[in-house]
Amino acid sequence: MKNIVYFDLETQRSAQEVGGWNHIDRLGMSVGVTYSTSRGGYTIYGEAQVNDLIDELQRADLVVGFNHVRFDYRVLEGYSIFDFSQVPSLDMLIEVDRILGHRLKLDSITQATFGCEKTAEGLQAIEWYKQGKLTEIAEYCLFDVKLTKLVHEYGVAYGHLYYLSRFGKKLKVEVEW
């Protein structure tokens, strides 16, 4: 059975705090979450377990995420010399951007496709980290992984996703996952 690992992480610091987006590797991971199809469950990783998270990603047959290639992997580069471009990855943001010619938020897709939205945003997670609220970050990150998994599975099953335009109109995008 193919092991698909759905993945997301949250950071300790904002881009502004580390000198801009050219220093994503300095953001620091607060919490990372995976869902493994071979394991059939979620795993929550704190910063102390970042090497275990990297090991899981390296062993995956496919890592699926939303902006994980350009963001999450770059955060993990702050902890490892591993070349994450070697990991078989499906970054749904990159794929949708390639098709539409513009970026979408995960929320835009989940609202239009499932009628649900994310529970928070990355900047809120950074505030929670500063307040020591790791449980809240884990719950938020876990829900994002669940949404990522649902979006991917829907795209695989139906060959399309829905999203909301900037004007709130529900539109359809064809995908081949």
Side-chain angles (χ1 to χ4, degrees), residues 27-99:
L27 294 176
M29 184 185 86
S30 61
V31 171
V33 174
T34 61
Y35 178 93
S36 164
T37 58
S38 70
R39 195 176 55 246
Y42 295 90
T43 302
I44 299 169
Y45 299 92
E47 186 180 30
Q49 295 86 35
V50 72
N51 289 326
D52 295 333
L53 168 60
I54 293 169
D55 287 345
E56 180 176 6
L57 298 174
Q58 289 173 325
R59 288 190 312 270
D61 294 312
L62 178 67
V63 176
V64 177
F66 200 87
N67 199 28
H68 73 289
V69 169
R70 295 179 183 155
F71 183 77
D72 301 48
Y73 285 168
R74 298 227 5 241
V75 171
L76 293 177
E77 286 172 0
Y79 298 94
S80 173
I81 60 168
F82 178 71
D83 177 6
F84 287 93
S85 69
Q86 296 180 37
V87 176
S89 297
L90 170 64
D91 189 319
M92 294 186 293
L93 174 64
I94 292 172
E95 291 301 310
V96 170
D97 181 16
R98 182 182 56 76
I99 296 164

Side-chain angles (χ1 to χ4, degrees), residues 94-102 173-177:
I94 292 172
E95 291 301 310
V96 170
D97 181 16
R98 182 182 56 76
I99 296 164
L100 295 176
H102 61 88
V173 59
E174 303 292 327
V175 296
E176 293 183 24
W177 297 335

Side-chain angles (χ1 to χ4, degrees), residues 161-173:
L161 300 170
Y162 295 100
Y163 68 97
L164 298 177
S165 73
R166 286 180 274 170
F167 307 107
K169 183 177 179 183
K170 185 175 176 176
L171 301 172
K172 185 177 181 179
V173 59

